[in-house]
Amino acid sequence: MQDVVVIGAGPCGLSAALELQRRGLKPIIIEKECVVRSIYLYPTYMTFFSTPELLEIGGYPFSTPNEKPTRLEALTYYRTVAQRSGIEIRPYQTVTGITPLAGGGFELTVQTRSGAVHTVRTRYTVVATGYFDHPNLLGIPGEELPKVTHYYREAHPYSGTRTVVIGGSNSAIDAAMDLLKVGAEVTVVYRGETYSPSIKPWVLPIFESMVNKGRIRMLFGSRVTAISEGAVTVSGREGSLELPNDFVLALTGFRPDRALLTGAGAALRDSDGCPEHDPETMETTVPGLFIAGVAASGSNANEVFIETGRLHGRRIAEYLVPGHE
C-alpha cells in the first residue's frame, strides 16, 4: 500500500508530490508520457508570461538571466527538480481506472506502453492530469486530415504555404505572427466579432497593423465548416468562402478529461463541470481523492495556471499532515 499516488507529472503534480514528501509521506508519480509533457508541447521558442519565481516549486529556485523564462529553461528546471527530489516517477504508464477500496484507500489500474496491465494500491490519490491531451475538436468534415493540427510548435514547416489559423487567443495570434515571418500566406478565422481582450497588449497593435496592411487576412465572426485536401470552407460575415489551403492550425484550446474522477465516484458541478471539492483541502466528494492543477478547473480550463495550481499540493499536504513545518 503506497502512501500517496499522484497521477500526472506536470508542474502541479510535481509540486504536490514535493509538498507531500516534505511532510514525511512517500509519494510516487505515475505519468502516461514524459515529465512536464504539456510544456514540452508548447511552441518551441515560447516565452512564458510569468516571471520565474511564480513558476518555482518545492523551494527550488528557478534561475534565468531573462525577465521571463523560455520553454527550454522551464523544461530544464522541472526536469532537474524531478531528478534532484528523489521522488519515484513512473513515466509512460497510464492510469486507466481508480477504484475506492472498502477498507479505505484506492486500487489504481495501470497500463504500460507494452499493453501490460497491473494494479497499484494507495492510501490517497491526487489527480493532476492537466488537459493538453484533449483539444477542443471542431466536429467538422476533414478535421482528421494530416494537414490539420491542434498543436503549434514552430513556423518553419509552413514557409511558403497557405495556412489557416483557427482561433483568436494569444496562441493563435502568436502563431499567425510567426507564420508571417517565414513567408506563409496567413488567414485567421475567429468566431468573435472583434479582437479578444486577452491578447497581450504589446502584441495587439503590431498584429492589427499587419491585418490593416493586408499582410494577414483576419475573418471575424466566422468559422471553418469543412476541410478538404486543398481548401477550407468558411462561413461568416462574407457568406460562404472556399479558401485554397495547405495547412490548418486549429488552436481552439483544450479541456480536462474527467473520466478518472467520475469513474471513482467523484461528483461534478452542474454549472461548469468542475469537480466538487473543498478549496481548502482540494479533496473531492470521494474521501482521500484529491485534485490539483487544471483538474480543479471548470469549463474554462485557463482559469488555473502553474502560478496558482502549484499551490494546490500544499493545501493537500497540510490537510494530510497538519502542523508540520
Side-chain angles (χ1 to χ4, degrees):
M1 178 72 77
Q2 301 290 337
D3 283 347
V4 189
V5 170
V6 178
I7 304 173
C12 299
L14 286 173
S15 179
L18 289 166
E19 295 291 346
L20 293 161
Q21 182 190 59
R22 178 181 292 174
R23 287 163 175 78
L25 297 175
K26 189 178 180 182
I28 68 169
I29 301 175
I30 301 178
E31 164 59 52
K32 69 178 180 179
E33 297 291 345
C34 59
V35 171
V36 293
R37 180 172 182 262
S38 58
I39 294 175
Y40 170 71
L41 291 174
Y42 285 172
T44 304
Y45 305 108
M46 193 202 83
T47 298
F48 280 82
F49 297 168
S50 305
T51 53
E53 62 270 15
L54 294 177
L55 302 177
E56 291 177 352
I57 59 174
Y60 291 85
F62 190 159
S63 299
T64 170
N66 305 307
E67 180 183 356
K68 305 289 182 67
T70 65
R71 164 189 170 273
L72 179 58
E73 288 175 320
L75 286 176
T76 302
Y77 169 74
Y78 290 116
R79 184 176 63 246
T80 302
V81 169
Q83 293 168 345
R84 290 183 178 176
S85 69
I87 292 172
E88 181 183 352
I89 301 176
R90 302 179 183 178
Y92 303 105
Q93 298 190 30
T94 303
V95 177
T96 59
I98 303 172
T99 303
L101 300 173
F106 303 89
E107 183 174 86
L108 311 183
T109 304
V110 184
Q111 183 173 344
T112 67
R113 294 180 79 179
S114 66
V117 176
H118 63 279
T119 59
V120 175
R121 291 197 168 196
T122 176
R123 293 165 59 202
Y124 305 106
T125 301
V126 179
V127 176
T129 47
Y131 70 145
F132 234 56
D133 290 325
H134 302 281
N136 293 318
L137 299 179
L138 302 170
I140 61 174
E143 186 173 14
E144 74 289 347
L145 290 173
K147 64 184 275 188
V148 182
T149 181
H150 291 272
Y151 300 92
Y152 170 69
R153 303 306 300 275
E154 55 184 291
H156 175 76
Y158 305 103
S159 176
T161 69
R162 299 161 298 185
T163 302
V164 166
V165 178
I166 303 174
S169 64
N170 278 300
S171 58
I173 299 306
D174 288 346
M177 293 294 289
D178 284 350
L179 293 166
L180 182 64
K181 292 174 185 175
V182 300
E185 181 184 307
V186 187
T187 301
V188 179
V189 179
Y190 180 43
R191 63 184 178 183
E193 294 298 327
T194 187
Y195 293 107
S196 168
S198 68
I199 298 174
K200 291 171 288 190
W202 60 91
V203 171
L204 182 56
I206 302 172
F207 183 81
E208 279 190 286
S209 174
M210 295 299 100
V211 172
N212 292 337
K213 292 176 181 178
R215 299 188 61 190
I216 293 176
R217 186 176 185 181
M218 185 75 189
L219 298 177
F220 288 108
S222 302
R223 61 190 182 92
V224 175
T225 57
I227 303 170
S228 66
E229 289 288 357
V232 298
T233 303
V234 178
S235 176
R237 292 179 180 177
E238 301 178 29
S240 181
L241 304 174
E242 185 166 296
L243 308 178
N245 172 258
D246 300 303
F247 291 101
V248 175
L249 301 180
L251 306 182
T252 51
F254 302 88
R255 57 180 175 78
D257 184 1
R258 311 295 191 191
L260 279 178
L261 290 166
T262 56
L268 306 181
R269 283 199 306 241
D270 291 335
S271 58
D272 60 0
C274 179
E276 294 276 7
H277 66 282
D278 182 342
E280 297 299 318
T281 67
M282 306 308 294
E283 189 172 33
T284 67
T285 54
V286 177
L289 180 62
F290 300 86
I291 52 178
V294 174
S297 67
S299 53
N300 177 17
N302 291 323
E303 64 187 289
V304 177
F305 297 94
I306 296 174
E307 299 97 304
T308 53
R310 65 183 178 142
L311 306 177
H312 294 165
R314 186 176 304 168
R315 300 176 199 171
I316 297 168
E318 289 173 348
Y319 174 64
L320 294 180
V321 189
H324 183 87
E325 294 295 335

